[in-house]
Structures are given as C-alpha cells and as structure tokens.
Amino acid sequence: MSQSRDKSGGLKLIEIEGGPRTHSGHRGLDHEEPLIFEQGAPESTGVDLPEVGDFTDRLGGLARQGPTGLPGLSEPEVVRHFVRISRDNHAIDMAMYPLGSCTMKHNPRLNEKVARLAGLAEVHPLQPPETAQGALELIDTLAHWLITLTGMPAVAMSPAAGAHGELCGMMCIRAALDARGESRQVVLVPESAHGTNPATAAMCGYRVEAIAADPRGRVDVAALAERLGPDVAGVMLTNPNTCGLFESDIVEIARLVHAAGGYFYCDGANFNAIMGRVRPGDLGIDCMHINLHKTFSTPHGGGGPGSGPVVLSEALAPFAPRPYVIREGDGFRLVESEHDPADDGRAFGRLKGFHGQMGMFIRALTYMMSHGADGLRQAAEDAVLNANYVRAGLEDVMSLPFPGPCMHEVLFDDASLKDTGVTTLDLAKAMIDEGVHPMTMYFPLVVHGAMLIEPTDSESKASLDEFIALMRGLMADAAAGDVDRFEGAPFHAPRRRLDETRAARQPVLRWRPPAPAEAAE
Amino acid sequence: MSVIKFTEDHEWLAIDGDVATCGITVYAQEQLGDVVFVDLPDVGQSFATGDEAAVVESVKAAAEVYAPIAGEIVEVNSTVAENPATVNEDAQGGGWFFKLRIADAGELDGLMDQAAYDAFVEGLE
Amino acid sequence: MRYLPHNEGERAAMLAAIGVGGIDDLYVDVPEDVRLDALIDLPAHQGELEVERAIAGLAAKNMSAATSPFFIGAGAYRHHVPASADHLIQRSEFLTAYTPYQPEVSQGTLKALFEFQTQVAMITGMDVANASMYDGATSTAEAVLMAARVTRRKRAVLSGGLHPQYRDVVQTMLRYTEFSADGAAVDFAGDEDLAALIDDDTACVVVQNPDVFGRLRDLSPLAEAAHAKGALLVAVVNEIVSLGAVVPPGDMGADIVAAEGQSLGNPLTFGGPHLGLFACRDKHVRQMPGRLCGETVDAAGRRGFVLTLSTREQHIRREKATSNICTSSGLCGLAFTIHLALLGDVGFRHLARLNHARAVALADRLAALPGVEVVNESFFNEFTLRLSRDAGEVVSALAAAGVLGGVPAARLFPGEAAAANLLILATTETVSDGDVDRLEAGLKEVLS
C-alpha cells in the first residue's frame, strides 16, 4: 500500500474523474444487470432432463393449466447474471465489516467444505436413527462444546436463529412458571436491548417494561431491585450489553431476580467477547442463546440461515423443546414425541420442523475444533483488543458516551458531529466511499446518533490502522465543514442513496410483466 | 371558527359542536419524517381515552395515535390513507386522520390550548 | 491459530497504544471471582487436515442418499441441485455479506431477493412473497398468527393431513398467546370435512397440499367455505416442486401460502437449514411477517432495491412487531432462486412431470407386490403404502439391506394405531431404475 498520511492522521485524498458516459450503460467492470425476468426466452432452460413418455397422470384432476411466468435462461446466462449482481455487494471477504452486534468475522472455507460431505449433506432427517449415528454424534459433540464453554448444564439445539433461540428460552421460562402454578405477567427489558427481545417476550404473552440504565451504560441495579416483584416473570439482558460493556453487576442482578422468584434470560449475541474468559453458568443466568452465525462464524449469507442453540439451567432444562438427542448404549437416539419412554412430558413443544440447523452445527463445530479451547479464548481476547484499539485510536476525535475499556465493540454517539451539519447517517455513507462497511447506526437507542463499531477478531493491525486513519480523516472533514462529501455520499458505490420513502409509499415488491399497451410502444 | 386543542402525545383536535376532528401536529410530523403509511380506524368503532386509534408510519418509525378523548368514529380521512404525504404537507389541515363524536365534552378541559402546547414543545427542545 | 492475524508483538504494541499493561486490564468489569484463569477443558486447536478427518469420520458413520437407494420425503426431498447453484452461493459476495442494511453496497443480495420474492409469488399463484422464513413449519405458524391479525379472530382449524411437525410448531407458537389451533383428527382416510369445523371465530383453515400422505385435493371448495365465514385459507406446500405439475394454491383461493422451499437448491442436511416460503395477497401485505425487498430509485434516478415496510418488524416495532424474526434463510433462498432460474418455466414443469411420472411408475410396480396396497388415489411424487406388517420393522430391514425405504407413518404419528402398517414413500428424479429394483426386491423379501 502506498497511501500517505496527512497531518490530521487521515489518508491523503485521491480525486478520480467521473469519466465519459458509456454507450452500454456499463462502467467497466461495473455492469448494469437487468433482472432475470427481463432476460432469456420462455422456452429456454438451463437444465437437461430426461424425456418423459406419455402416461396417465394421477393428479386427481388438479394438473397445472398454463405456464408459471418464470423466465428461461441457459446456464451461462444464469451464471453471468449472479456473478454480475454479486459484485454489487460488500462482503467480509472483501473488506472490514464492523457492523456492531453482528460479529462479521472471517468465514473459514473448511467449514463450507465439510458441510458438503455427502455423509452429512445427503442425510435425511427421518431416516432410521441407526443409519444416522454420525449426525447424532455430531449434534451431541457440539452440545458438549457449548455446555462446556458456557458452564451450563443443558442445551436446546433446535432453534433456527437468535430470535428463535430467545423464543425458546422465554418459552422455557413461561413453562417453568406455569409448572410452579404462577402466572406472572411482566418481563423487564432494558431500552438498549435488541428489538427481538421485546418482540419475543410479547409472543410469550408477557407485557414488556423497560429497565433503566445508569450513567455508566449499565443496568441501574437499584431501580431493578425496586421493580422486581411477584408479577415479574423474568429479566432479559444482553451481556456484554449493546453498548459494548460488560454488565459488572450481573451476579447481583441474577441474585435479585432469583430472590424475587423470576428467571434470568441472557441474550448471548455478544458471547464472542467472553468465550473462554467467563462462563455464563458462573454468572447465575437461567438461559442464553448462542448465535452460531455470529460467535462461531457460520456465514451470514446475506440474511441467514442462522442457528440459535439455547443453554439452560437445571431449573429450565426439563422444559426444553423436542426433539433432542440422548445417548443410549453405545449410540445416540432422538426423542421426538411425548410417546417416547425417555420423555417426561414437560417439554413445551416443538419449535421447527426436524431437528435443528444441522448445516450450521457442522460449520460451527468445525470452527470450534479448529480454534480449540486456546484459540477460542484468544479469539475473544483479540476481539476485545481490536475494539479497544479502535476506541483508543478514535476517542479524541469521536464522542465516547461511556468511557473506559469496552468489550468486543465500541459505542460512539454523535456529539462530536454537533453543529457540523453531518449526521451519523452521512458519516456512515461516507465510510462506504472509503471502502469499508458502515458500523451499526442509531442502535442502541440509549445514546443519540449511536455508532456501534465491532471490528471482530479477524482484523489485522494493519487493517485497523487503516480504518482508524480513514475515520480520523472523515471526522476532520466534518469538522472542517466539508459537508458535500457527506451529504452526497456514497459516490463510489454501485448505487447512490436510495429513496426509501418512495419504496414504502408505493411498494413494488415483485416484478410484473409490462402492461401490453406499454410493451407495444 | 372551531376551537383547537392539543395533547401531550402531539395530537390536535378541532372541536365543532359534538364532533372533534383529530390529527397529529406539525411538530409530530417533523419528528417522524416522511410519512409513508397511515392505518385508520373503522367508522363506528368506539374508543376510550388513550386507546390506540390509528398508526402513522415513516420509513424508520411507527407511532400509535391515541384517541385524545373518548368517542365514536364518525368519519375517516381516506386522503391520508391514499396519499400519506398529505400528513407532512398539511398536518393540521388536510392531513387530519378521523372525526370523533365526543362522548364527554368535559374531557376537553384537560387538554392544552395553542399557547400551552407551544410552551410544551419548547420545553422538549 | 490460522484465523487470527495478530502476532504477539502486534498484540503488545496494541495494548501499549490502548494504554494498558495486559489483556486482563480490558476485562476489569468482569467480577473477579468469575474470571477464568485456566483454559476450558476442551481440546486444543487443530489444523485443517485433522479437523476435516474428524468431521469426515462422523460423516462416514451415516448412510447417505448419495450411496443408497433413497425413497424418503415427508417434508424434505432429495433433488439434483445444479453444480452452478452451489458454486454461485459460495461466492464471497453472497456468502459473507450480512442482511442488506446498507442498500448502496448490497444491491446483489437485494436484487436476488426481489427475484426470489417474484419467483415465489409466480409459482404459488400469489401476489407477493417475503424474503423467507426459517422453514415450512415456522412459516405455517407465522401464517396462522397473521390470519389472526387480519381477521381479529382467535382460532385456527388445522387439517388432519397437515405434517404433524408443522401442527406441533403451530400449536407451540400459539401456546402462550391468546390464539389457539384445533387440529382435526389425523386424516388417514382422506375424507375429513374441514368446512364443518369453521365457525364465526375461525381465523383460518390450514390445509396441506399434497398432504402428509401424499394426496392431492382441490382447495377451492374449502376456500369458498372459509371465505363465506370470514376466515382465511392458509395453504401449506412442503414439496415445492409439485407446483410445476399441480394447480397452484393461489388459483384455488388461498389467502396465504406457507411452504417449504428446500427442494429447490438445497440439500437435505439432516433437516436444516431449510427454507420457509411465505406468500399472500396484496391487501394483507402490511400484516406480513419477515423482511420484504422493494424497488425504488437512487439519487441519480437509477433503479435500485431496498428492504422496505420495515415498520412491521421487531427492530422498529419491538413488542408490537408482526413477528420476532430477524435472521431468516437468506442463502438458502439464493440457492432456490438460482436453481429456479436455471430451470425456468419449461424446466420447472418438466422436472415436476418427471417426478410425477417416476412416482406413477413406482406406485404401479409396488402395487403388484403381495402384501402391498397403494393407499392414494392421487399423488405427486409421494404416496402411502399399506403393508401386510409393521412399517417400522420393514424400514429397518430395508436399511439393513442398504435401502433407505421411506418413512413409517408411526414415526410421524406415534400413538396412532392406524399408522402402524403405513409407509410413506417418495421418489424424485434422483432415483434410478436400479434403485427401484433394489427397493422392490427388498420389500418382496421383507414381506414374504
């Protein structure tokens, strides 16, 4: 790299001309690709299938009449289409993706390779368990890693993502309270919580009340103690919290919640900061979901699939959903129904079809075995080190609402942008021009103009140095009143800012064929 | 000339006989940004004070509109449902949400007048 | 550790820049008595080769559809996935991107989502589809919750032909809400009268087509009966390839379609991750769960795509959201979209016809065996056999002979005596004539 630094610590600005208009509408490698529906011909196809001879159908008089409307494309056309559109995406493989609370770390390709082994990818969930012993052993092995890392006695493996894991945990709490014959109505959730927390509590029939934060960005323990009582089913708390801080009073919080007869749900979205350094089981929590697609690096894939196993305390474990894997003799077995002699009938039900996100289990276990106990602890430490390095590199030019060391992510507010005419959103869009993905913005809700930066353990020192330099450069530009480069940003992206108001006012949620009159023109 | 009243939830009411025309204030629409959707109640529905009567949405926020006083819906403004931008353009005029037959005129005494509301908004900033 | 870039010198330099003496100083907020000093009791890090060997060792303990004659369906189907589909979803730009929160640098994912939504709407015969749910079962539960919101009613009626795991998921998701779902009795005979169960408090009727036994039914009369009482019809499809051969639910009056999309683009992988599809009518779009991608323009006037109608979702609406879902099945949806783009209209219908033809041939061949009766009058690529002995024992004996020969109905319906001798059998384009020979020979031997 040959970029030089100016005195403000930012990179030297490089100006690039827009260049001439093109006849094709493309700009070099940047192609304007139409939708598949605007390509091909109805009679084309990208597959060759064996001929089907005449036969009498057995469709009960329900044979499809007429075409589907799907376009027909050959394989090269399909491949080119998806390669072209893929190039319009930012990705962790390309550059830093410091999206706070999302843990965008490197996705090892070994994980992808082994998930495609025929002995795993081509195994059916309902084939006889004696023919799927390796699959069941893999689930049991991953469960062992998860309960050992968290110090919890049990784990429910089936939830399909973090929010699904939350639902699992809260349903366990509800079932445990029902079993005690208690109908408590309220769940306490801090204002800094992920939106999934209150949404989940509501799905379990609970009314949500906010817990106050103290000036240090942590739960106000005195206010919590005051509010706890016989109507409170439990508390949902993220730890480390969404301000990137460890809840230093967490042991006391657990004690208070239990003393009031409630349960303690911990959102484990930020487990990446503490794995191998702290066991949630030692903190007194009752349940915590683990985002395998964050902490254990199963790829995000542009919005899933995820996996959200939930570790459970002794008090909640009996209520975990079916199915679950048990050891029996030398092998493993699935318990799928209340008719199974091994089941005591206390499970709250079933959360999804089949047995869980096996493809994600394979990847997560591969990741964990690759790191080992030593590497996982080191990954947590490096994640925390990197966030603090960013904090130290930026805290003199950006505004830190909660001083002191952070965990794996660092939260800034927009106080340092005050009176510059530049907003958090503008700053984020200017980061796109600098080649990095913006941080999480306007979340958590507890500070103004929040910017939550999570570099993860995957970034090198050189990468962090470049990030700090470009952020310092942008902050200097904002301070200098160079508003244009922010308000118009991004300039160097496949698209400029998109009109979200128009998208929401007149929703166009699918392609439709042009009206005949228009087509004839 | 009808009497205009305001609530702390940034709703306005124009009182005309036993009917109140209700909407959200200019200040409220500024806070929301571009309004993209308004969900209106059905004519004939009755609300107690503080019940959720309508929802107004921008791209990144949704706000419940509460019945400022008790009453029965006698008319809704299909213009804001069809063209939500009206709420931004004319919040305290053509951007009204619904008309309510007032159940208890005594409730009006608890609401703010223009001067009180202006002071209330100033206190928020 | 190959995934961690820092060396010790860099770590020391960074700690110095932060101004602390060691990494422990960054964990000062953790109460002292819960800090771990020693390593957790788990194995140490390993190289690629060692880890791959260990996982491959587990894989080797499974019987796989790749090497055994394979006839299992019941909600997850083995189809041939074109090589280019699996290659394309592994492109870094798709695989390692997050949910497209920054549309300016996520047009690839967003454009693919828009195509996905359009494809799902087209093949189901519906107006709009969302950007995916976890799987078919959770989609079905979300459909019931949505129907309750739309109708402001509290009860769902579930068909006895619904996959029992779907039924369990619906009932679990409703368990702590004000809503409930009453299941009709298991519909072994295919003669349930769901219309009779609809009353003025019914939010929706949920019916699967083909049903769990593989039977097809015309949903139109049920849609009429539901609509006459102000209820919605939720149609469930768990073999999406069937829509290439069968009248789509949208053409039979469905208000919501909840489906499993795994069949296109996605492997079985022991049951997950799979792909929930969710489609509905335009008029109900604001009550939909999950993410939606919509078309708009950018500041330069060019067409672009964004996530839209987000005010329905948990990150804005919190406890009033239409669902708590956040991460869904993005990459599985991309695989679906690429596979269906490769098929096109002609290929999709051809694939469905091929599946059906194979199933018809298989059914006729097995019906000729002593001790075997084909229960279905109609089916797509899956049907139910009534055997002369316990189907679970037959499946175990077939497995011992190297054949994965269907799902015993008793596994899906434990405790139902009528299920004992029923075997649910699926066939797809991946089944060869030799596979059928081995199944036939195996059944002949076990049943003799």
Side-chain angles (χ1 to χ4, degrees):
Chain A
M1 235 193 279
S2 62
Q3 284 149 323
S4 56
R5 303 275 151 82
D6 67 18
K7 283 183 191 139
S8 72
L11 300 173
K12 185 185 262 178
L13 290 178
I14 299 167
E15 304 243 350
I16 300 167
E17 290 295 324
R21 281 172 176 272
T22 57
H23 300 288
S24 61
H26 307 314
R27 290 168 65 88
L29 292 180
D30 183 5
H31 288 86
E32 282 299 314
E33 176 67 7
L35 297 168
I36 51 172
F37 307 100
E38 297 157 343
Q39 303 184 41
E43 65 279 12
S44 298
T45 178
V47 297
D48 289 308
L49 294 166
E51 290 302 317
V52 183
D54 284 338
F55 70 103
T56 307
D57 82 60
R58 220 72 73 81
L59 297 171
L62 292 172
R64 175 184 264 278
Q65 310 294 314
T68 56
L70 295 169
L73 287 82
S74 64
E75 177 171 313
E77 291 170 302
V78 169
V79 169
R80 186 169 285 172
H81 173 74
F82 287 100
V83 168
R84 282 182 170 185
I85 69 171
S86 77
R87 293 164 56 94
D88 291 340
N89 274 359
H90 187 95
I92 185 64
D93 282 355
M94 212 144 38
M96 197 165 156
Y97 214 133
L99 205 49
S101 202
C102 300
T103 314
M104 291 299 284
K105 57 165 80 175
H106 174 62
N107 301 134
R109 290 313 192 274
L110 174 65
N111 307 355
E112 295 304 308
K113 183 181 180 190
V114 297
R116 286 168 169 79
L117 293 170
L120 296 169
E122 303 231 44
V123 177
H124 194 286
L126 295 177
Q127 67 186 56
E130 66 269 22
T131 69
Q133 286 295 302
L136 296 174
E137 185 178 340
L138 193 149
I139 296 174
D140 187 70
T141 305
L142 177 61
H144 173 73
W145 278 77
L146 293 175
I147 63 178
T148 306
L149 266 178
T150 57
M152 299 286 282
V155 59
M157 296 297 287
S158 66
H164 209 217
E166 290 175 27
L167 187 61
C168 177
M170 291 308 293
M171 283 191 164
C172 283
I173 289 175
R174 175 79 192 249
L177 287 168
D178 286 355
R180 278 168 28 189
E182 294 183 32
S183 73
R184 294 169 176 241
Q185 301 91 39
V186 177
V187 168
L188 304 178
V189 182
E191 277 172 24
S192 60
H194 297 113
T196 50
N197 290 177
T200 299
M203 288 175 83
C204 295
Y206 289 116
R207 199 172 75 241
V208 176
E209 281 185 32
I211 311 176
D214 69 12
R216 298 156 53 242
R218 287 149 173 111
V219 168
D220 184 331
V221 181
L224 176 71
E226 179 82 4
R227 179 59 191 86
L228 286 168
D231 62 331
V232 175
V235 171
M236 296 181 88
L237 215 59
T238 307
N239 190 39
N241 70 24
T242 60
C243 302
L245 304 170
F246 194 88
E247 289 286 353
S248 42
D249 294 319
I250 189 161
V251 176
E252 174 65 4
I253 291 169
R255 194 191 64 75
L256 289 168
V257 173
H258 291 151
Y263 291 101
F264 185 0
Y265 184 91
C266 184
D267 182 321
N270 296 336
F271 187 52
N272 198 46
I274 59 170
M275 57 180 175
R277 299 265 338 182
V278 184
R279 298 190 311 167
D282 295 333
L283 304 176
I285 68 165
D286 290 292
C287 49
M288 180 181 89
H289 78 263
I290 299 167
N291 301 78
L292 297 185
H293 51 294
K294 295 183 178 177
T295 309
F296 300 112
S297 184
T298 73
H300 281 76
S307 181
V310 179
V311 289
L312 297 164
S313 64
E314 295 286 1
L316 296 186
F319 306 99
R322 301 182 196 94
Y324 47 88
V325 177
I326 58 170
R327 277 173 187 267
E328 206 166 73
D330 296 335
F332 299 90
R333 201 161 70 72
L334 270 169
V335 176
E336 296 179 285
S337 97
E338 68 277 21
H339 296 278
D340 191 304
D343 192 85
D344 67 6
R346 285 193 284 173
F348 70 70
R350 166 184 280 277
L351 275 175
K352 74 181 289 294
F354 306 123
H355 324 310
Q357 302 285 70
M358 183 68 174
M360 305 297 108
F361 298 164
I362 301 162
R363 291 169 174 90
L365 181 61
T366 302
Y367 179 88
M368 293 166 97
M369 290 174 69
S370 293
H371 278 79
D374 50 339
L376 290 175
R377 181 177 165 112
Q378 186 69 59
E381 291 176 358
D382 283 358
V384 171
L385 178 69
N386 288 357
N388 279 285
Y389 187 66
V390 169
R391 174 180 61 80
L394 294 176
E395 67 185 336
D396 60 328
V397 294
M398 292 177 71
S399 160
L400 199 64
F402 307 115
C406 58
M407 289 273 99
H408 64 303
E409 56 194 353
V410 56
L411 176 67
F412 295 103
D413 64 27
D414 64 0
S416 51
L417 292 173
K418 198 165 190 295
D419 302 327
T420 62
V422 176
T423 65
T424 292
L425 179 73
D426 296 332
L427 180 65
K429 298 302 183 189
M431 289 167 73
I432 291 175
D433 284 333
E434 299 290 341
V436 294
H437 195 278
M439 64 269 148
T440 292
M441 296 179 281
Y442 302 107
F443 177 85
L445 308 174
V446 291
V447 301
H448 199 268
M451 303 175 223
L452 188 62
I453 300 175
E454 181 180 7
T456 83
D457 38 292
S458 301
E459 297 302 324
S460 68
K461 180 170 177 297
S463 162
L464 296 172
D465 285 337
E466 186 189 29
F467 178 75
I468 290 166
L470 74 87
M471 290 301 289
R472 294 185 72 88
L474 290 174
M475 292 306 295
D477 291 343
D482 184 2
V483 174
D484 290 350
R485 69 161 309 167
F486 292 97
E487 282 187 344
F491 297 92
H492 308 304
R495 283 292 179 268
R496 302 286 297 279
R497 282 193 213 185
L498 289 132
D499 187 347
E500 298 193 38
T501 300
R502 172 181 165 139
R505 277 187 181 158
Q506 297 119 24
V508 177
L509 305 174
R510 61 172 289 186
W511 179 86
R512 287 181 198 275
E518 202 178 314
E521 273 172 25
Chain B
M1 187 70 199
S2 54
V3 179
I4 312 281
K5 294 276 191 181
F6 297 88
T7 73
E8 292 189 359
D9 295 317
H10 306 285
E11 292 141 357
W12 58 268
L13 301 80
I15 319 298
D16 190 1
D18 66 343
V19 173
T21 304
C22 308
I24 65 169
T25 63
V26 171
Y27 174 83
Q29 67 81 22
E30 278 170 3
Q31 295 298 307
L32 274 168
D34 289 348
V35 172
V36 299
F37 179 66
V38 179
D39 191 18
L40 295 170
D42 297 329
V43 171
Q45 267 184 284
S46 284
F47 295 102
T49 309
D51 281 357
E52 184 183 317
V55 176
V56 55
E57 297 182 1
S58 66
V59 172
K60 303 282 184 199
E64 281 78 33
V65 177
Y66 304 102
I69 52 173
E72 183 193 332
I73 302 291
V74 293
E75 192 181 342
V76 297
N77 185 5
S78 58
T79 305
V80 295
E82 285 153 20
N83 183 14
T86 312
V87 180
N88 296 114
E89 291 154 7
D90 192 11
Q92 289 177 216
W96 62 275
F97 282 27
F98 51 79
K99 295 185 182 183
L100 199 69
R101 189 175 311 283
I102 301 167
D104 172 12
E107 276 196 90
L108 299 172
D109 299 339
L111 302 175
M112 289 179 276
D113 62 14
Q114 183 80 53
Y117 178 70
D118 290 347
F120 172 71
V121 167
E122 200 155 315
L124 296 175
E125 283 167 349
Chain C
M1 213 295 118
R2 61 189 176 278
Y3 302 135
L4 301 176
H6 303 327
N7 60 40
E8 284 309 320
E10 285 166 333
R11 288 191 181 104
M14 292 169 73
L15 288 167
I18 294 165
V20 294
I23 190 74
D24 291 348
D25 295 336
L26 299 177
Y27 283 93
V28 286
D29 290 327
V30 179
E32 242 170 280
D33 54 342
V34 298
R35 289 183 207 164
L36 296 177
D37 294 324
L39 286 181
I40 294 225
D41 184 21
L42 288 165
H45 70 274
Q46 297 181 66
E48 271 212 1
L49 180 63
E50 291 73 27
V51 176
E52 183 174 342
R53 272 192 189 138
I55 302 290
L58 292 173
K61 295 181 185 175
N62 296 324
M63 252 173 94
S64 128
T67 49
S68 314
F70 181 83
F71 298 89
I72 307 177
Y77 300 86
R78 179 176 188 244
H79 291 281
H80 173 72
V81 177
S84 53
D86 191 49
H87 170 78
L88 287 166
I89 66 164
Q90 290 187 76
R91 278 188 67 90
S92 292
E93 299 90 333
F94 290 132
L95 185 75
T96 76
Y98 199 74
T99 303
Y101 290 141
Q102 296 292 330
E104 299 88 349
V105 285
S106 307
Q107 286 298 303
T109 296
L110 288 161
K111 200 175 264 183
L113 279 180
F114 191 76
E115 293 176 342
F116 171 82
Q117 290 173 186
T118 305
Q119 288 173 323
V120 172
M122 280 179 168
I123 63 173
T124 56
M126 303 298 287
D127 296 334
V128 286
N130 76 7
S132 82
M133 311 301 288
Y134 305 131
D135 67 2
T138 56
S139 251
T140 304
E142 293 277 11
V144 170
L145 288 167
M146 173 170 153
R149 287 192 296 274
V150 168
T151 60
R152 297 178 190 172
R153 295 179 179 187
K154 294 197 163 47
R155 280 186 49 245
V157 172
L158 307 182
S159 158
L162 182 63
H163 194 297
Q165 293 185 347
Y166 286 44
R167 177 205 296 229
D168 287 352
V169 172
V170 171
Q171 288 180 329
T172 300
M173 294 266 282
L174 297 185
R175 181 166 180 179
Y176 300 125
T177 69
E178 57 191 313
F179 312 116
S180 65
D182 309 323
V186 181
D187 188 21
F188 289 109
D191 58 1
E192 66 181 0
D193 182 7
L194 286 177
L197 300 178
I198 305 171
D199 64 24
D200 291 339
D201 193 34
T202 303
C204 63
V205 184
V206 182
V207 58
Q208 180 179 322
N209 201 40
D211 74 6
V212 69
F213 300 104
R215 294 172 304 222
L216 290 160
R217 83 160 102 184
D218 184 358
L219 304 182
S220 307
L222 198 53
E224 278 169 34
H227 296 159
K229 296 249 181 190
L232 304 188
L233 179 70
V234 175
V236 176
V237 181
N238 67 18
E239 167 52 303
I240 201 74
V241 172
S242 68
L243 297 183
V246 177
V247 178
D251 292 2
M252 295 192 277
D255 299 284
I256 304 175
V257 176
E260 173 55 63
Q262 168 270 331
S263 284
L264 291 176
N266 289 280
L268 297 166
T269 318
F270 203 51
H274 288 177
L275 172 64
L277 308 180
F278 194 103
C280 72
R281 302 292 181 188
D282 273 332
K283 63 182 170 188
H284 297 142
V285 68
R286 286 182 190 270
Q287 293 296 342
M288 265 181 128
R291 298 220 153 90
L292 283 166
C293 169
E295 185 182 317
T296 186
V297 295
D298 79 348
R302 295 170 296 183
R303 177 169 71 179
F305 301 89
V306 292
L307 293 179
T308 191
L309 305 186
S310 308
T311 43
R312 301 163 297 111
E313 294 183 64
Q314 46 76 25
H315 61 280
I316 292 176
R317 205 53 147 261
R318 298 175 82 86
E319 65 269 25
K320 290 187 173 169
T322 53
S323 167
N324 74 338
I325 194 165
C326 182
T327 293
S328 58
S329 301
L331 203 68
C332 302
L334 180 66
F336 172 102
T337 286
I338 298 170
H339 191 174
L340 198 50
L342 285 161
L343 288 167
D345 177 63
V346 170
F348 183 52
R349 289 193 288 148
H350 187 160
L351 178 66
R353 183 171 157 79
L354 180 60
N355 271 257
H356 185 49
R358 291 274 161 94
V360 168
L362 181 69
D364 287 347
R365 221 165 129 182
L366 298 182
L369 293 177
V372 175
E373 178 200 341
V374 175
V375 171
N376 298 50
E377 284 176 23
S378 64
F379 55 87
F380 170 60
N381 67 357
E382 184 165 30
F383 50 82
T384 301
L385 301 180
R386 183 173 287 112
L387 305 177
S388 55
R389 56 177 285 202
D390 182 276
E393 293 168 16
V394 171
V395 165
S396 291
L398 287 170
V403 175
L404 291 168
V407 179
R411 176 148 181 204
L412 297 175
F413 299 103
E416 293 277 354
N421 288 14
L422 298 180
L423 176 65
I424 302 171
L425 213 59
T427 181
T428 71
E429 76 284 357
T430 64
V431 172
S432 72
D433 292 342
D435 294 340
V436 174
D437 292 343
R438 286 186 59 192
L439 174 68
E440 185 183 41
L443 276 176
K444 203 182 271 182
E445 190 178 326
V446 180
L447 295 174
S448 64

